[in-house]
Amino acid sequence: MHRIEAERMIPGRGEPITGAVVVMDGATISYAGPAASAPQAPAAVRHRAQVVMPGLWDCHGHFLGVRTLDLARMPMEPLALRAARCAADLRNALDAGVTSVREVGGFGVHLARAVTEGVLDGPTIYGAGAIISTTGGHGDLHSYPLDWMDGHVRAEGTQCLADGVPSCQRAAREQLRKGARIIKVCASGGVTSELDDPVHQQFTVAELRAIVEVAAMAERSVAAHCHGKPGIMAALEAGVHTIEHGTYLDEECCDAMAESGAILVPTRTIIEEMLAATQYMPDYASAKLRVVAGTHAEAVARAREHGVTIAVGTDIAMTGMELPNSWGRNGRELAHMVTLGLTPLEAIEAATATAPSTLGAQAPRSGVLEAGYDADVITLDADPLDDITVLADPAHVTGVWTRGRQVKGGGGKAA
Ligand SMILES: [Zn+2]
């Protein structure tokens, strides 16, 4: 049992409370509210903090264990090496205050088991398994022989090519077979892939519908990577739950999203971090990145103005805090969201209370400090409502609890 007394509590949804207490009993929060009416909890370990808030979610990350965004190099590095690097990603995420990750393509489905077993400390992971892509699409490695993609790379489990309705159904079921909690599709071209155009639609509406239908039967929702408008509109028509990136979202797209309740996961971090460090990506990718960067910023601001629901995700994929777009830098996304028009409180809500709903029917009771919710809690030594960049620096995150277990910080006193 842990009892945190804080100068200020940011509950995730709703207004902050001055002078608050959070009590965690096992894996669940048993009290969160004003100190005056808090239970004494004499058996609890006691902590004091400037600020207490829910642990952060990253709704768009990749556990790939890569040290470059030249993704064609991925199959050249042994799987064991890349998986070992991910162990560092888990620790760096926790230290940054990230207690939940929606992992939209990578080793997350397997790492989730290692965390559940208690073998590794890490955030709770909701993994997609492999990214499902068309042949020649964003999830394809265009320079490899196609039978390597369908054989070796598909077996590694990070990418899966599918064309036509039966092949798409099979691809979605392969991910469910690995324990996927969400299904990820590439509905448009992308930046890090070599030959495709981010504006072009990939997958027909019929193919996307087939994937959404298979996912829905297992109470899973579908996350669609989309830059161009045709892919966004096709994905929404097919019933996907979230639009990832959303670069060319115009008014019509925003209206369609607001109407369907689809959530936007903007991933500004990868754009900002890679623009500043293009040596970590091939020239074809940096050229495409420069084309989409400005349009993407406008789209996020537009979405917010049109009342589209936004959840925080980064597209972080690299291992090593010294590298750009790496695990541990996740909190930077909130500052980017504030730059693009969200208030600090809105950015925090997008990274906490709103985030679980990106999982649809798989959403846990997380992201809010309230009795009955998962005890995923962080403490800070400065107030992110005064300066949102506090959350960008892991040094300000003084304590982290996942499911009621403290995984960062000490300083608790037994009563
Ligand atoms: Zn991504």
Side-chain angles (χ1 to χ4, degrees), residues 58-118:
D58 190 335
C59 297
H60 187 129
H62 299 279
F63 290 116
L64 292 169
V66 291
R67 305 265 296 164
T68 165
L69 282 195
D70 185 350
L71 298 181
R73 287 170 62 180
M74 257 191 320
M76 297 174 175
E77 293 193 310
L79 214 49
L81 170 62
R82 289 157 57 204
R85 288 177 184 149
C86 291
D89 296 341
L90 298 179
R91 171 37 64 187
N92 288 337
L94 288 179
D95 285 346
V98 175
T99 54
S100 302
V101 176
R102 178 172 172 265
E103 203 253 358
V104 288
F107 303 131
V109 286
H110 309 305
L111 295 166
R113 289 171 65 174
V115 171
T116 304
E117 287 166 355

Side-chain angles (χ1 to χ4, degrees), residues 22-297:
V22 173
V23 180
M24 295 174 254
D25 191 356
T28 311
I29 295 168
S30 61
Y31 178 85
S37 42
Q40 279 310 308
V45 180
R46 280 151 197 275
H47 309 263
R48 295 192 67 86
Q50 193 69 29
V51 173
V52 65
M53 60 175 279
L56 299 174
W57 277 66
D58 190 335
C59 297
H60 187 129
H62 299 279
F63 290 116
L64 292 169
V66 291
R67 305 265 296 164
T68 165
L69 282 195
D70 185 350
L71 298 181
R73 287 170 62 180
M74 257 191 320
M76 297 174 175
E77 293 193 310
L79 214 49
L81 170 62
R82 289 157 57 204
R85 288 177 184 149
C86 291
D89 296 341
L90 298 179
R91 171 37 64 187
N92 288 337
L94 288 179
D95 285 346
V98 175
T99 54
S100 302
V101 176
R102 178 172 172 265
E103 203 253 358
V104 288
F107 303 131
V109 286
H110 309 305
L111 295 166
R113 289 171 65 174
V115 171
T116 304
E117 287 166 355
V119 170
L120 291 172
D121 281 342
T124 305
I125 303 167
Y126 304 88
I131 292 172
I132 303 175
S133 164
T134 57
T135 297
H138 174 54
D140 197 351
L141 302 173
H142 303 162
S143 54
Y144 283 83
L146 198 50
D147 55 354
W148 290 20
M149 288 305 299
D150 287 331
H152 178 74
V153 175
R154 189 170 187 138
E156 285 196 336
T158 54
Q159 288 122 299
C160 177
L161 303 186
D163 304 277
V165 165
S167 166
C168 286
Q169 291 166 327
R170 166 79 191 208
R173 287 179 178 130
E174 269 182 38
Q175 309 323 311
L176 296 174
R177 182 175 184 266
K178 287 189 287 195
R181 303 288 296 274
I182 176 102
I183 298 293
K184 168 76 177 299
V185 294
C186 300
S188 86
V191 169
T192 54
S193 38
E194 186 173 358
L195 296 170
D196 58 341
D197 186 327
V199 174
H200 292 169
Q201 180 179 340
Q202 299 178 348
F203 284 122
T204 63
V205 175
E207 288 171 321
L208 291 168
R209 271 213 182 98
I211 292 168
V212 169
E213 188 185 9
V214 167
M217 288 190 290
E219 297 181 312
R220 265 64 172 176
S221 52
V222 174
H225 158 105
C226 301
H227 291 287
K229 181 175 178 180
I232 294 170
M233 295 307 281
L236 292 172
E237 193 183 335
V240 308
H241 199 70
T242 60
I243 299 293
E244 314 290 314
H245 319 303
T247 302
Y248 292 91
L249 272 172
D250 63 5
E251 307 229 337
E252 191 185 354
C253 296
C254 289
D255 290 345
M257 287 189 72
E259 201 175 299
S260 70
I263 300 168
L264 175 66
V265 183
T267 74
R268 189 67 195 169
T269 298
I270 188 170
I271 295 174
E272 297 287 343
E273 296 262 309
M274 298 314 293
L275 272 180
T278 51
Q279 69 271 29
Y280 290 99
M281 64 199 316
D283 289 346
Y284 60 75
S286 46
K288 290 201 261 185
L289 186 62
R290 280 190 281 269
V291 171
V292 302
T295 309
H296 177 266

Side-chain angles (χ1 to χ4, degrees), residues 363-390:
R365 292 197 90 192
S366 165
V368 177
L369 297 185
E370 196 182 306
Y373 277 75
D374 289 347
D376 296 340
V377 178
I378 63 176
T379 55
L380 307 168
D381 66 3
D383 194 336
L385 296 178
D386 296 336
D387 175 6
I388 194 68
T389 65
V390 162

